[in-house]
Amino acid sequence: MEIERVNKTGGEADLTAARPHAGSFATSNATESDLGFGRVAAQSVRGRFLSPDGHSTARKLGLRGQRTEQLYLQALALPWPQFLLWLFGCILLLNGLFALAYRGLGEAALSGSDTLGLTDPFLRAFVYSVGVFTTTGTDGIHAVGPTAHSLTVAESLLGPLVAMLVLGLIIARLTRPRAQVRFSESAVIAPYEGGRALMFRIVNELPSELSDVRASVSMTWFEHINGQRERNFHQLSLERRDVTFFPLHWTIVHPIDERSPLRGVTPERLRRGEAEILIRISGHEETFSTQVSARHSYTWDEVTWDAKFANVFIESIDGALAIDVERLSRFDRLPENSTRVPPASEGAAIP
C-alpha cells in the first residue's frame, strides 16, 4: 500500500511506501563502523573519503599502471556527448598519423588523386587513409612502392580491429546496468518534529524503474576522547531506510535527538570535526533485473543551516503526480539561528 506522507520539513508531500520508524541510533563497534577504510588508516586521512561523484579518493600503488583498465572504466563512465567526442577525435588523430606517414614517403607514394580535385598533399593522404581505415574505398587513389603498400596493409588490418573494439565498447555502455541517482547539491539541517534533522534528497534520473531502494548513511568526524583527537565513524539512523517504490523523489531524514551522534551539533562543530556524510543508495533496476548502487558524500561545508527544502511537486495536465527535478536542490531560507542553535532536548554535544 502507498501513502502520501507530509514531509516534516514543512509542507512538502512525498510519495513513499508505508513503513514503521527505522529505529534509534546505535553505535557499532570500531571494526564494523569504519566502513572498510580501516580504523588506523582513517586517522591519517585528510580531506574527503568519497569524491563528489561517489568514487573513493583512496589509491593503491604497486599494481602496475593499469592504464588499459582505467581507460576502459573511464570510457564506460563518460557521458555520451563526451564519449562520442573522444571517439571521433581519436579516430581522426589516428588517421592523421597515417596520413603523415604516407606524406613522409614522398609525393610518389600515392597516385591516382588527379581526378579528385585535391591539391593539398596532406589532404590527399588523409582521404586515402580514411578510405583504407574504414574499408569504404579510396576513390582511385592507390599506393605505390613496397613501403606504401606495407603501410596500407597494416592500416587495413588495424581499421576493422578498431571498429570491433569501438562496437564492443558501445554495446557495453548500452547494456551496462547502472544507477543514475541525482543527489541534492547540499544537505540541510532543517526543523523536524519540534527538533532538527539532517536531510538530503535524491531522484532517479533514468527512465527505468528502481524498486526496493535502500539508503545507508554514515558520518565520520574527529572527536576528542581521553584528550586524544581521533576520527570516528557513526552509522546514522534514518526516519526510514528503504522504500518499495521510487517513482518520484525521496527526502532522506536523520532525526537529531538525544541518541544521535549529531546531538547538540553546530556549524562550528562540523567544521572543527571535518565532518563528512557518507551515503550509499542501492536498489533493484528492473530493466536488467539486477542490483545497482550509487554513492555520494557531503562534507561539512556542503551542509546548509537555517533552511528547509522547497516543494518540488507541480501540477500536471492529466492530474498525475509530478515533480520538477530542477527544484531538487532548492531550499527556502528560515529565520537566522532556526537550526544553528541546538535545542535543549538534544542533550550535550559530542566533544
Side-chain angles (χ1 to χ4, degrees), residues 1 44 66 72 85 109 159 254 259 292-293 299 304 333 345 349:
M1 180 183 68
S44 60
Q66 296 183 325
Y72 174 72
L85 184 63
H254 164 63
R259 295 162 294 184
V292 294
S293 64
T299 53
T304 302
R333 285 292 182 182
S345 59

Side-chain angles (χ1 to χ4, degrees), residues 79-98:
W80 275 105
Q82 295 184 30
F83 171 76
L84 294 176
L85 184 63
W86 275 101
L87 180 60
F88 286 122
C90 291
I91 291 176
L92 291 176
L93 176 61
L94 190 57
N95 280 274
L97 293 177
F98 273 104

Side-chain angles (χ1 to χ4, degrees), residues 99-121:
L100 290 175
Y102 290 120
R103 285 290 300 124
L105 297 177
E107 292 286 345
L110 297 177
S111 181
S113 60
D114 300 336
T115 59
L116 298 180
L118 300 176
T119 58
D120 182 82

Side-chain angles (χ1 to χ4, degrees), residues 203-229:
V203 67
N204 176 25
E205 291 189 299
L206 294 177
S208 59
E209 293 289 342
L210 289 179
S211 59
D212 297 325
V213 181
R214 182 174 179 83
S216 175
V217 182
S218 301
M219 181 194 69
T220 176
W221 65 356
F222 284 98
E223 300 174 2
H224 288 277
I225 300 178
N226 297 326
Q228 299 292 324
R229 187 173 186 262

Side-chain angles (χ1 to χ4, degrees), residues 34-305:
D34 65 12
L35 304 180
F37 291 103
R39 183 172 179 80
V40 175
Q43 303 304 317
S44 60
V45 171
R46 294 297 180 267
R48 61 195 311 158
F49 282 81
L50 297 179
S51 63
D53 59 0
H55 290 89
S56 173
T57 58
R59 298 177 182 176
K60 293 179 287 187
L61 304 179
L63 294 178
R64 61 189 176 83
Q66 296 183 325
R67 292 183 178 86
T68 303
E69 294 87 344
Q70 293 292 341
L71 183 62
Y72 174 72
L73 293 176
Q74 291 175 9
L76 290 180
L78 278 176
W80 275 105
Q82 295 184 30
F83 171 76
L84 294 176
L85 184 63
W86 275 101
L87 180 60
F88 286 122
C90 291
I91 291 176
L92 291 176
L93 176 61
L94 190 57
N95 280 274
L97 293 177
F98 273 104
L100 290 175
Y102 290 120
R103 285 290 300 124
L105 297 177
E107 292 286 345
L110 297 177
S111 181
S113 60
D114 300 336
T115 59
L116 298 180
L118 300 176
T119 58
D120 182 82
F122 175 79
L123 186 57
R124 289 199 300 267
F126 184 79
V127 170
Y128 175 76
S129 174
V130 170
V132 173
F133 189 85
T134 60
T135 69
T136 57
T138 59
D139 292 328
I141 307 177
H142 57 273
V144 178
T147 306
H149 275 288
S150 298
L151 192 60
T152 300
V153 170
E155 187 176 11
S156 64
L157 294 175
L158 179 63
L161 177 61
V162 172
M164 288 188 294
L165 292 176
V166 169
L167 181 60
L169 192 57
I170 292 175
I171 292 175
R173 285 178 59 92
L174 291 173
T175 59
R176 181 174 64 98
R178 62 193 184 278
Q180 194 167 322
V181 176
R182 181 191 295 190
F183 292 79
S184 56
E185 294 178 0
S186 65
V188 300
I189 303 292
Y192 175 82
E193 293 188 340
R196 304 183 299 172
L198 170 72
M199 306 180 186
F200 61 91
R201 297 200 290 203
I202 62 174
V203 67
N204 176 25
E205 291 189 299
L206 294 177
S208 59
E209 293 289 342
L210 289 179
S211 59
D212 297 325
V213 181
R214 182 174 179 83
S216 175
V217 182
S218 301
M219 181 194 69
T220 176
W221 65 356
F222 284 98
E223 300 174 2
H224 288 277
I225 300 178
N226 297 326
Q228 299 292 324
R229 187 173 186 262
E230 63 179 51
R231 185 189 295 273
N232 285 320
F233 292 80
H234 298 275
Q235 186 76 22
L236 300 185
S237 64
L238 302 178
E239 178 194 47
R240 57 183 312 130
R241 290 197 173 275
D242 55 76
V243 292
T244 302
F245 303 106
F246 188 36
L248 300 175
H249 75 296
W250 182 11
T251 302
I252 299 176
V253 180
H254 164 63
I256 302 176
D257 53 24
E258 69 278 1
R259 295 162 294 184
S260 168
L262 287 173
R263 60 184 180 271
V265 71
T266 62
E268 171 59 25
R269 176 65 183 92
L270 280 189
R271 184 197 66 80
R272 190 173 66 251
E274 301 176 32
E276 182 177 1
I277 310 299
L278 307 170
I279 304 155
R280 183 178 184 272
I281 305 295
S282 61
H284 180 76
E285 204 280 330
E286 297 185 358
T287 301
F288 296 97
S289 189
T290 188
Q291 195 78 2
V292 294
S293 64
R295 293 172 296 185
H296 192 73
S297 79
Y298 296 104
T299 53
W300 63 270
D301 55 344
E302 295 170 339
V303 176
T304 302
W305 300 76

